[in-house]
Amino acid sequence: MEHHDHQHNMHKHEQQHTNEHHHDGHQMDHKAMGHPGHDHGAMIKDFRKRFYVVLALTLPILLLSKMIQHWLQLHVSFIGDQYVLFALSTVVFIYGGWPFLSGWLAEMKAKNPGMMTLIGFAISVAYAYSTAIIFGLQGMDFFWELDTLILIMLLGHWIEMRSVAGASRELELLVQLMPSTAHLVSGETVEDVQTENLKENDLILIKPGEKIAADGMVEDGESYLNESMLTGESAPVQKIKGQKVIAGSVNGNGALKVRVMHSRKDSYLFKVVELVRNAQDAKSNTQLLADKAARWLTVIALLAGIVTFVVWISLGRDLAFAMERMVTVIVICCPHALGLAVPLVVARSTALSAQHGLLIKNRTAFENSRKITSVVFDKTGTLTKGKFEVARVVLTGNTVANEDELIGLAGALEANSEHPIATGILSEVRKRGLTLLIADQFNALTGKGIEATVEQKSVKVVSPGYLKDNGLKLPENAGIAGNETVVFVLLNDQLAGFIALADAIRPESADAIATLHENGIRSILLTGDNQQVAESVSKQLKMDGFFAEVLPHQKLEKIKELQRQGGFIAMTGDGVNDAPALAQADIGIAVASGSDIAAETAGIVLVNSNPKDIVNLILFGKATYRKMMQNLVWATGYNIITLPLAAGVLYNQGILLSPAIGAVLMTVSTVVVAINAGLLKLKS
């Protein structure tokens, strides 16, 4: 139930998300800073410009400040020097402080005080107090503090935005995979057109080494394609006439003509980018926890600032000292690192996953993957290849010369059949490089096999049932192994031999199951196949158990049964008949067939049906969660230590932080969080 609710909440949340953008990391800043229309690059440039202007004004402001002159034993004075100081500082306050002041206003309007409120409040207090000093109030101004504070805040935001841009860059890389132009073939001519103008049924030419410009079917030519950026699979994939190609994959050394299947916005890559965007925007429980913490920190900062001010005044310190302590506390407490702790990890993990063929549709499902105690595998196509392959060829008697001849005869009969067994025999014919013989006078032996004439000989390919019905003895060595299907070849009604086929287990399956065991996760097989086949696969892979002969509608019940026994259950299936079970499982992982990413009920979609990806997903989910927690611990822990220092708890020991030092520490804290998020890797 929880799963469905979350899906529903996610959609609700995305709508809210566009309205509020409160603490969602850098997005909050963009909105709050009053540049809603600017893109990321323009924002970074804007901060850089403001930083340099403030930097240029910093030297004269420092030289004109009494405090700095006193420290440096300098004396710079001329008539009206204080008014020049005031004028320069006003420029810094308004021009340099504008992003923070407008952000404060935006947060107040949204009734959602946060980062900008704190900085806006701190610089306004400092400016108002110092201005009062210039116009007659007794005391020391701290324009120089205000100036250095704004300077460092601008620098911090600039650096941090660049880090944030880094976290979102992976997504941009995905977008850039789509080539901007395509070679459109019309009749005998080829012209270059913009990719977005391609329509269904257009014919395009892909030259060697170029990127595929649109999803489509190969009409002419053959080549090997590198799809690693889309699926994470590094081995080149052979494409021949009639096969599907995905936009963004890189062509090898053959030229291809491709018939476009749909417009750009329906392409696989486009859907992936949308999916990644939505997943980065959707909030998970960890994000909500961080938001709550950031909101608390804002309240604590304002309260701590006011308490600090009151305490120092009541201890008899002057107004300037008390003001400076208050400003420092508020600045140091800015929950910036906290606001970014989770979104940065989210942005990076979602985009990285997409590049490795793991598509996260539901953030909470992904973060919860660390809790998985059992993975239920739907056998066909996940642990096994999902297609019959010849396991062994056995000759009986001396009717045929060798294995090749037996396979050749069977292949001739199966040439026109679509049956999985036929496909398996034909792929063996190709593998052995045999020439396909011609068969005629076909006749289907209902439910038992097929007969035809090949090179004037009567050939039958039949099931064990046919042998029994016709009083033929089963050969001794046809003792059928657990996961084998056997067909017999008769030549002129003499048994020539048999071919055993099996749905071969993928080479990666055993490793994947072993890695799950190392991580204390049970693996269970769920299949519609018979008891023998299920047991054979389960034993071979050293799995923890199996359910055999399970019909599609019973899969849901089996998942419920496992959940009743306790534990956190992940289910992998191909998304079609497994939809109810995927929705029931704590985490549904759909194994997509190539480019079908519309597996609605699953929280996570695997582009390849490789069982290793499931293991990678769980391990990456754990790593992602660890990074988030490290960031949250750092962002809150840093405040716990620095807040008392800023308030002046160790003043008598001679330890006191100035507002500028506070701002430096705040920036460092944010950058640490950004760098830590950048260290997240997906091991494959």
Side-chain angles (χ1 to χ4, degrees):
M1 200 43 225
E2 188 184 49
H3 199 92
H4 288 302
D5 289 349
H6 186 79
Q7 292 265 318
H8 173 66
N9 291 345
M10 239 168 81
H11 293 304
K12 266 197 344 213
H13 212 104
E14 276 161 31
Q15 285 145 21
Q16 287 171 7
H17 188 82
T18 44
N19 305 337
E20 54 183 274
H21 272 301
H22 58 273
H23 250 300
D24 204 6
H26 57 283
Q27 282 147 326
M28 170 199 82
D29 293 355
H30 293 194
K31 292 279 185 242
M33 287 169 191
H35 303 277
H38 281 209
D39 70 345
H40 209 97
M43 297 280 317
I44 294 176
K45 283 199 189 84
D46 181 65
F47 269 87
R48 189 172 60 206
K49 193 169 78 186
R50 287 179 197 268
F51 169 75
Y52 283 126
V53 169
V54 173
L55 184 64
L57 297 175
T58 298
L59 191 64
I61 289 175
L62 290 178
L63 287 175
L64 292 173
S65 290
K66 294 272 190 289
M67 190 70 157
I68 304 293
Q69 290 181 14
H70 174 69
W71 280 348
L72 300 177
Q73 314 254 298
L74 273 174
H75 191 66
V76 181
S77 71
F78 48 85
I79 297 165
D81 58 357
Q82 289 307 288
Y83 296 109
V84 173
L85 174 65
F86 167 67
L88 294 175
S89 302
T90 303
V91 172
V92 168
F93 174 66
I94 293 170
Y95 180 71
W98 177 249
F100 311 111
L101 297 170
S102 61
W104 180 14
L105 198 68
E107 285 182 355
M108 288 293 101
K109 267 193 192 142
K111 297 193 175 56
N112 194 356
M115 170 77 191
M116 294 295 150
T117 303
L118 297 184
I119 301 177
F121 178 70
I123 61 178
S124 302
V125 165
Y127 179 74
Y129 172 75
S130 302
T131 304
I133 299 273
I134 296 286
F135 293 104
L137 186 73
Q138 284 304 303
M140 265 298 204
D141 68 80
F142 50 91
F143 276 131
W144 68 276
E145 288 277 34
L146 170 74
D147 171 80
T148 46
L149 177 61
I150 289 175
L151 183 74
I152 288 155
M153 283 290 177
L154 287 171
L155 176 66
H157 270 69
W158 171 27
I159 292 173
E160 170 217 307
M161 279 174 149
R162 285 181 52 184
S163 313
V164 169
S168 307
R169 205 168 292 132
E170 276 96 358
L171 183 60
E172 280 155 36
L173 285 177
L174 279 176
V175 180
Q176 285 161 14
L177 277 181
M178 200 65 114
S180 52
T181 58
H183 313 302
L184 183 65
V185 181
S186 37
E188 293 301 304
T189 61
V190 176
E191 56 168 329
D192 283 0
V193 295
Q194 293 296 310
T195 312
E196 57 255 37
N197 298 335
L198 288 176
K199 297 182 299 298
E200 197 177 338
N201 283 332
D202 279 351
L203 188 65
I204 53 174
L205 171 69
I206 317 287
K207 296 176 183 170
E210 289 186 334
K211 284 181 181 163
I212 308 285
D215 291 2
M217 288 290 215
V218 178
E219 286 234 336
D220 188 27
E222 64 174 272
S223 185
Y224 279 87
L225 260 55
N226 178 348
E227 298 181 340
S228 63
M229 192 58 189
L230 305 161
T231 62
E233 280 290 332
S234 50
V237 188
Q238 188 182 17
K239 298 289 178 183
I240 54 175
K241 188 178 165 146
Q243 288 188 313
K244 240 170 147 182
V245 292
I246 303 177
S249 42
V250 182
N251 190 11
N253 49 12
L256 294 174
K257 279 189 182 162
V258 172
R259 181 72 62 189
V260 178
M261 280 164 59
H262 37 225
S263 64
R264 180 173 172 153
K265 69 172 193 313
D266 291 324
S267 72
Y268 167 76
L269 191 64
F270 208 81
K271 284 183 184 157
V272 170
V273 170
E274 277 307 289
L275 208 87
V276 173
R277 274 212 184 101
N278 292 340
Q280 289 185 357
D281 283 355
K283 300 212 170 176
S284 64
N285 302 341
T286 324
Q287 170 70 56
L288 297 172
L289 173 81
D291 284 353
K292 203 181 263 174
R295 205 163 288 140
W296 271 106
L297 201 54
T298 305
V299 173
I300 290 167
L302 286 168
L303 288 175
I306 293 162
V307 168
T308 303
F309 179 77
V310 171
V311 168
W312 282 116
I313 287 286
S314 58
L315 288 176
R317 296 304 301 232
D318 60 359
L319 193 61
F321 183 85
M323 282 274 193
E324 189 189 63
R325 289 304 92 220
M326 175 169 82
V327 168
T328 310
V329 165
I330 288 174
V331 167
I332 252 187
C333 243
C334 277
H336 218 198
L338 197 55
L340 283 172
V342 174
L344 277 180
V345 179
V346 166
R348 185 164 170 84
S349 66
T350 316
L352 266 182
S353 304
Q355 289 173 16
H356 287 78
L358 314 173
L359 305 178
I360 298 166
K361 295 181 75 170
N362 174 331
R363 284 296 317 174
T364 302
F366 173 59
E367 282 171 33
N368 284 342
S369 60
R370 67 181 198 286
K371 299 181 191 165
I372 293 173
T373 55
S374 303
V375 178
V376 177
F377 288 92
D378 179 48
K379 177 190 73 96
T380 317
T382 310
L383 295 173
T384 62
K385 290 181 181 171
K387 56 177 190 279
F388 276 113
E389 288 185 355
V390 172
R392 53 199 181 112
V393 179
V394 179
L395 305 182
T396 52
N398 44 15
T399 331
V400 291
N402 54 28
E403 287 184 11
D404 283 3
E405 192 182 339
L406 191 77
I407 289 281
L409 291 169
L413 267 69
E414 301 288 9
N416 300 320
S417 168
E418 293 294 309
H419 193 278
I421 290 178
T423 320
I425 292 175
L426 288 169
S427 83
E428 186 69 16
V429 169
R430 279 198 298 274
K431 212 183 277 176
R432 292 176 179 236
L434 307 176
T435 320
L436 205 56
L437 302 169
I438 306 296
D440 50 20
Q441 295 170 350
F442 277 99
N443 176 30
L445 309 164
T446 317
K448 298 280 191 285
I450 184 172
E451 65 178 341
T453 308
V454 183
E455 296 176 335
Q456 280 90 48
K457 294 176 215 153
S458 152
V459 182
K460 294 185 176 71
V461 176
V462 294
S463 67
Y466 178 90
L467 297 190
K468 282 199 195 95
D469 295 353
N470 288 280
L472 290 164
K473 212 159 81 53
L474 273 176
E476 294 289 308
N477 50 0
I480 298 166
N483 55 345
E484 279 185 353
T485 300
V486 176
V487 290
F488 296 88
V489 181
L490 302 176
L491 192 58
N492 299 330
D493 289 322
Q494 291 285 307
L495 184 59
F498 62 85
I499 302 167
L501 297 104
D503 180 1
I505 290 176
R506 284 167 157 272
E508 312 91 355
S509 296
D511 274 0
I513 302 292
T515 313
L516 286 176
H517 281 161
E518 281 162 30
N519 285 277
I521 297 166
R522 297 170 67 224
S523 53
I524 294 156
L525 182 65
L526 186 64
T527 178
D529 276 344
N530 63 42
Q531 201 76 11
Q532 256 185 325
V533 171
E535 190 171 0
S536 159
V537 171
S538 170
K539 270 199 180 130
Q540 215 172 324
L541 291 174
K542 302 191 174 73
M543 295 177 79
D544 298 289
F546 64 90
F547 295 116
E549 294 167 36
V550 182
L551 296 170
H553 66 273
Q554 297 170 328
K555 288 183 176 176
L556 175 75
E557 289 309 314
K558 294 292 180 197
I559 298 288
K560 280 187 176 162
E561 196 180 306
L562 287 169
Q563 284 171 325
R564 279 196 293 274
Q565 293 165 15
F568 202 83
I569 312 296
M571 155 95 186
T572 74
D574 59 12
V576 188
N577 58 6
D578 301 327
L582 287 173
Q584 175 62 39
D586 296 300
I587 295 178
I589 303 170
V591 178
S593 45
S595 59
D596 166 35
I597 62 165
E600 281 308 314
T601 52
I604 296 154
V605 181
L606 303 183
V607 178
N608 299 309
S609 39
N610 187 340
K612 277 219 107 102
D613 286 350
I614 295 163
V615 177
N616 285 345
L617 172 84
I618 295 173
L619 299 180
F620 189 51
K622 286 185 175 182
T624 301
Y625 187 76
R626 267 200 308 276
K627 277 275 173 266
M628 288 180 178
M629 284 302 137
Q630 285 164 6
N631 276 357
L632 288 177
V633 166
W634 167 263
T636 41
Y638 139 88
N639 279 301
I640 292 166
I641 293 165
T642 51
L643 194 149
L645 293 180
V649 172
L650 296 181
Y651 174 64
N652 294 336
Q653 283 73 32
I655 297 175
L656 202 59
L657 303 179
S658 74
I661 298 284
V664 167
L665 288 175
M666 192 207 99
T667 299
V668 167
S669 147
T670 307
V671 172
V672 166
V673 164
I675 290 171
N676 191 34
L679 293 176
L680 183 65
K681 295 261 187 310
L682 194 156
K683 298 179 186 69
S684 58

